[in-house]
Amino acid sequence: MDERVRYAGDQYERAIFQGETDGLLAADRQLDAAEAELAVARGKLLHGRFLDGPGQEDPRELELFRRALELYDALGDERGRAEALFWIGCFHQVVRDDAEPAQEALESSAALARQTGDQLILSYALRHLGIAAHRAGRADEAARLLGESTQLRRSLGFTAGVAANQVGLIHLAIDQGRHADAESLLAEATTLAASANASTITNQLTAARGRL
């Protein structure tokens, strides 16, 4: 059992048996935090099913991420807000291909992640902002954003994430005629993806190699 749920049960018993109600508010806030974390986790599972399936939107995904944001707002949890905003932005970008709300949520997520020092969420927000810039034809901006995300992921030891970013950097290099750079990135990314057992990224790299 989650300790926050156990704590809430303890505070309930203290209230009804001992008349001690001081802990009820704290217990309620802890449950709000647990609910927010659960909402993000469930939303991520639905996002994974979307990516693995026929591409059919499940409206519960966005509802869960919005509920998490609402709870984190009430708690004043800026790190949590950064995470929820990222997933809202990711949903709009990946599931709905809706650029404007995606950009707004991702930029807000990146700003909050910088403020709170959450380098992992920042790396995700920057990655998807880089994807948005690439789609909009802003190659230099895309390379800068993906490059910053990649540096963060290297510092975190997030090997599969580095390789995933390099897929985008490879396509950018090919688009700009920098085939030697693309070959170098491809070689490193292939090694990283294999070491992380990231078969999905390996398949993406194979597709990118076909463009060279």
Side-chain angles (χ1 to χ4, degrees):
M1 181 186 295
D2 189 295
E3 284 301 316
R4 291 164 296 190
V5 176
R6 190 186 306 278
Y7 177 76
D10 290 344
Q11 294 309 307
Y12 162 77
E13 292 190 0
R14 283 178 177 271
I16 64 167
F17 294 123
Q18 297 159 11
E20 297 179 9
T21 60
D22 292 348
L24 293 179
L25 180 59
D28 199 41
R29 287 178 62 82
Q30 287 190 26
L31 290 180
D32 282 347
E35 183 185 345
E37 292 172 15
L38 181 61
V40 170
R42 287 192 183 280
K44 287 166 69 175
L45 291 178
L46 292 177
H47 191 74
R49 292 190 186 115
F50 171 84
L51 295 175
D52 185 55
Q56 183 67 37
E57 174 184 330
D58 187 326
R60 294 177 299 167
E61 182 182 338
L62 183 57
E63 291 170 5
L64 285 162
F65 295 141
R66 283 176 170 167
R67 176 57 177 161
L69 180 61
E70 177 186 357
L71 289 163
Y72 284 131
D73 278 340
L75 290 165
D77 184 341
E78 299 293 81
R79 192 223 61 83
R81 290 187 68 233
E83 183 174 14
L85 282 164
F86 164 72
W87 285 108
I88 289 170
C90 184
F91 174 88
H92 282 294
Q93 184 183 73
V94 176
V95 178
R96 290 190 175 169
D97 193 22
D98 195 350
E100 186 173 345
Q103 186 78 16
E104 181 179 350
L106 291 169
E107 287 178 351
S108 296
S109 172
L112 282 171
R114 286 190 194 279
Q115 176 184 316
T116 59
D118 191 329
Q119 294 188 330
L120 181 60
I121 292 300
L122 179 57
S123 83
Y124 272 105
L126 292 172
R127 166 182 165 79
H128 283 262
L129 286 168
I131 291 170
H134 191 183
R135 289 178 177 178
R138 303 191 301 272
D140 289 344
E141 180 184 350
R144 177 180 59 79
L145 291 163
L146 284 171
E148 184 180 354
S149 174
T150 301
Q151 289 179 351
L152 288 168
R153 291 179 169 196
R154 286 189 193 279
S155 70
L156 294 168
F158 185 13
T159 303
V162 172
N165 280 358
Q166 287 178 322
V167 174
L169 291 168
I170 290 164
H171 283 292
L172 280 168
I174 294 171
D175 291 346
Q176 295 175 327
R178 296 183 289 107
H179 293 279
D181 289 343
E183 289 278 9
S184 177
L185 285 164
L186 185 57
E188 182 189 11
T190 299
T191 300
L192 291 174
S195 70
N197 197 28
S199 58
T200 300
I201 306 304
T202 298
N203 291 338
Q204 292 174 2
L205 291 166
T206 298
R209 184 178 288 108
R211 295 188 61 204
L212 286 170

